[in-house]
Amino acid sequence: MLAKKPVEDTGKTSRSTTDVENLTALLDSERKRADEYEKKYAEALESNNIMRRKLEESETREREWSMEASDEALNIGKKTTATMEDTKKIESLTAELEKSKALVESERQKAAQALKSSEVRRQKLEETERTVLQLQDVVNRMMYSMSGQFSELKSMLRPSSSSSVTSGCVIKDSYRDTTFTSSDMTSNDSYDSS
């Protein structure tokens, strides 16, 4: 009857070890996902910075073209007769100005979308980090619990100089503290296994 208890404890320890290994693998997987999200977040920020620079360049070009168009319009206005060539140039500059405005608006929309996307990625990264911390806490608690179980198992298996078949041991329960004899524990084990 006494030999039965260590075999069951070894099975529990084996299951706990397997659970810890599975949780460790899951933790590693979550860390890799967190690293990937962090990399994507950095890429999104870099993309956002590039878009912002393009937007600033487009706005600068728009101002330059607008000033050129204004200067051209003033010069043409001063002339008493407008030639067909000047009219075409004004139309060309106006069309280019409209294209530039459309490009600036497009770049603004892309920058806004990139900011929104990077925020979503940041939130996912934070969520993954919280999950990793929770998993680490679970693993730590399991390891602590296994350590306590292992210590109890060692103390149960350690032969004592005054041992007898009915030696008493104390089992602590969160609801009650009870003292059992070895024979009581063995009979309880037989109920558990059925």
PDB file of all heavy atoms in Angstrom, residues 10 61 64 81 92 165 182:
ATOM      1  N   THR A  10       4.648  10.347  -8.591  1.00  0.00           N
ATOM      2  CA  THR A  10       5.545  10.437  -9.745  1.00  0.00           C
ATOM      3  C   THR A  10       4.735  10.750 -10.993  1.00  0.00           C
ATOM      4  O   THR A  10       5.139  11.560 -11.825  1.00  0.00           O
ATOM      5  CB  THR A  10       6.331   9.119  -9.923  1.00  0.00           C
ATOM      6  OG1 THR A  10       7.053   8.879  -8.733  1.00  0.00           O
ATOM      7  CG2 THR A  10       7.278   9.224 -11.094  1.00  0.00           C
ATOM      8  N   ARG A  61       6.447  71.554 -52.286  1.00  0.00           N
ATOM      9  CA  ARG A  61       6.304  71.691 -53.746  1.00  0.00           C
ATOM     10  C   ARG A  61       5.028  72.447 -54.096  1.00  0.00           C
ATOM     11  O   ARG A  61       5.007  73.284 -55.002  1.00  0.00           O
ATOM     12  CB  ARG A  61       6.287  70.312 -54.410  1.00  0.00           C
ATOM     13  CG  ARG A  61       7.657  69.699 -54.564  1.00  0.00           C
ATOM     14  CD  ARG A  61       7.627  68.529 -55.530  1.00  0.00           C
ATOM     15  NE  ARG A  61       6.658  67.504 -55.149  1.00  0.00           N
ATOM     16  CZ  ARG A  61       6.949  66.365 -54.556  1.00  0.00           C
ATOM     17  NH1 ARG A  61       8.191  66.081 -54.278  1.00  0.00           N
ATOM     18  NH2 ARG A  61       6.003  65.500 -54.246  1.00  0.00           N
ATOM     19  N   GLU A  64       5.601  76.068 -53.592  1.00  0.00           N
ATOM     20  CA  GLU A  64       6.466  76.605 -54.657  1.00  0.00           C
ATOM     21  C   GLU A  64       5.688  76.755 -55.954  1.00  0.00           C
ATOM     22  O   GLU A  64       5.780  77.790 -56.634  1.00  0.00           O
ATOM     23  CB  GLU A  64       7.675  75.679 -54.857  1.00  0.00           C
ATOM     24  CG  GLU A  64       8.669  75.715 -53.719  1.00  0.00           C
ATOM     25  CD  GLU A  64       9.746  74.652 -53.844  1.00  0.00           C
ATOM     26  OE1 GLU A  64       9.694  73.821 -54.788  1.00  0.00           O
ATOM     27  OE2 GLU A  64      10.649  74.632 -52.988  1.00  0.00           O
ATOM     28  N   THR A  81      -1.733  91.961 -73.765  1.00  0.00           N
ATOM     29  CA  THR A  81      -2.307  90.893 -74.586  1.00  0.00           C
ATOM     30  C   THR A  81      -1.778  89.563 -74.097  1.00  0.00           C
ATOM     31  O   THR A  81      -0.581  89.386 -73.889  1.00  0.00           O
ATOM     32  CB  THR A  81      -1.939  91.095 -76.075  1.00  0.00           C
ATOM     33  OG1 THR A  81      -0.535  91.130 -76.203  1.00  0.00           O
ATOM     34  CG2 THR A  81      -2.544  92.365 -76.632  1.00  0.00           C
ATOM     35  N   SER A  92      -1.700  74.610 -67.583  1.00  0.00           N
ATOM     36  CA  SER A  92      -0.804  73.516 -67.186  1.00  0.00           C
ATOM     37  C   SER A  92      -0.425  73.631 -65.707  1.00  0.00           C
ATOM     38  O   SER A  92      -0.463  72.639 -64.968  1.00  0.00           O
ATOM     39  CB  SER A  92       0.446  73.535 -68.062  1.00  0.00           C
ATOM     40  OG  SER A  92       1.385  72.619 -67.585  1.00  0.00           O
ATOM     41  N   VAL A 165       3.988   1.348  10.557  1.00  0.00           N
ATOM     42  CA  VAL A 165       2.941   1.314   9.538  1.00  0.00           C
ATOM     43  C   VAL A 165       1.900   2.382   9.823  1.00  0.00           C
ATOM     44  O   VAL A 165       1.301   2.932   8.918  1.00  0.00           O
ATOM     45  CB  VAL A 165       2.293  -0.089   9.494  1.00  0.00           C
ATOM     46  CG1 VAL A 165       1.130  -0.116   8.546  1.00  0.00           C
ATOM     47  CG2 VAL A 165       3.332  -1.133   9.156  1.00  0.00           C
ATOM     48  N   SER A 182      -1.000   6.693   8.211  1.00  0.00           N
ATOM     49  CA  SER A 182      -0.630   6.161   6.901  1.00  0.00           C
ATOM     50  C   SER A 182      -1.705   5.244   6.371  1.00  0.00           C
ATOM     51  O   SER A 182      -2.013   5.229   5.184  1.00  0.00           O
ATOM     52  CB  SER A 182       0.697   5.399   6.972  1.00  0.00           C
ATOM     53  OG  SER A 182       1.708   6.292   7.315  1.00  0.00           O
TER      54      SER A 182
END
